[in-house]
Amino acid sequence: MDIILKSILRRQAPFLIGGTITGTIMTYYYGFPFTIVVNSAIWYGISYVVNKFYWKNKGLDDQKYLIQYALSKINSRKRKSK
């Protein structure tokens, strides 16, 4: 794994873990559709504030990199299977 990916995963892991825990709890009480919207908005806000003031960067750049990385892995698997 490259260095950039490791640093991004290290910064994003707490948000993934926290979102999973609160999402599970909220789903039990409020239902799945409501939880998806509200939990995503809450954790987006938390990650934005933490990234802006603690890491001094935009979290969107990290998320874009992770999406590009995942899509490149998916596309490479599709090419191998053909």
Side-chain angles (χ1 to χ4, degrees), residues 33-74:
F34 176 80
T35 298
I36 290 293
V37 174
V38 173
N39 195 42
S40 298
I42 289 170
W43 280 98
Y44 176 78
I46 291 170
S47 68
Y48 179 79
V49 169
V50 169
N51 281 321
K52 185 173 183 178
F53 295 111
Y54 183 74
W55 293 107
K56 306 284 192 236
N57 72 357
K58 295 179 183 175
L60 288 177
D61 297 335
D62 289 349
Q63 293 169 359
K64 286 179 190 176
Y65 184 86
L66 289 173
I67 289 171
Q68 289 173 348
Y69 181 80
L71 289 175
S72 70
K73 291 294 183 182
I74 291 169

